[in-house]
Amino acid sequence: MHLAYPAVLAALLFCTGLYGVLARRNAILVLMSVELMLNAVNLNLVAFDVWLRDTLHSGQALTLFTIAIAAAEIGIGLAIVLAVYRNRGSSDIDRLCDTAETDAADAEIDAAVAADAESADTDAEPHGRAEPAGKSTNAGTTTNAEATS
């Protein structure tokens, strides 16, 4: 048996899984892509085990360990995804920004945004937001009214 056939198939599986991890936003699809990558590794382990004609079949033994680790990973991963879905109503990865660690700069930005939102609510008219007199929406430009006053 030629080693190139399973190696090329494993490379294609791994690349497909890598694309799925990098491009997908749904957490379940990301977990499925990780499983594709692990299966590509398993295919390589078994192919090299057969090609080297190892008497201990260490490639196949490592494949069994990888399958056991993948099963544990998918069980824990699905439990986390289900818990997030129950709390948020979505398993979208981009919407999980508040679970990430933030530093002091991010906290200051959040405080500034909240302060701007509070000040905008006090300046709002009943039918929409009105711009306070003398302020323009463009930060660096002046209007004719500002230039003459």
Side-chain angles (χ1 to χ4, degrees), residues 1-134:
M1 175 172 110
H2 294 288
L3 186 61
Y5 299 129
V8 168
L9 179 62
L12 290 174
L13 276 175
F14 193 85
C15 289
T16 303
L18 186 65
Y19 172 75
V21 167
L22 296 177
R24 298 294 179 191
R25 300 293 177 239
N26 190 347
I28 294 183
L29 291 177
V30 169
L31 287 175
M32 289 173 58
S33 298
V34 169
E35 291 296 320
L36 271 176
M37 293 167 61
L38 287 173
N39 285 330
V41 170
N42 288 341
L43 182 61
N44 267 335
L45 285 172
V46 171
F48 276 98
D49 181 55
V50 169
W51 184 64
L52 293 174
R53 294 187 178 108
D54 188 14
T55 57
L56 296 176
H57 298 293
S58 58
Q60 294 177 17
L62 286 174
T63 299
L64 289 176
F65 284 120
T66 307
I67 290 171
I69 290 171
E73 174 257 333
I74 201 69
I76 293 171
L78 280 177
I80 292 171
V81 168
L82 287 175
V84 167
Y85 182 77
R86 284 183 187 162
N87 289 335
R88 311 223 181 233
S90 173
S91 62
D92 190 19
I93 294 175
D94 290 336
R95 295 182 63 195
L96 298 178
C97 62
D98 63 342
T99 59
E101 295 180 12
T102 59
D103 56 353
D106 290 339
E108 291 175 7
I109 292 171
D110 292 339
V113 169
D116 288 342
E118 288 177 9
S119 67
D121 288 341
T122 60
D123 295 336
E125 289 184 352
H127 297 292
R129 291 193 175 168
E131 188 174 309

Side-chain angles (χ1 to χ4, degrees), residues 123-145:
D123 295 336
E125 289 184 352
H127 297 292
R129 291 193 175 168
E131 188 174 309
K135 291 187 178 179
S136 68
T137 56
N138 297 333
T141 60
T142 58
T143 61
N144 289 337

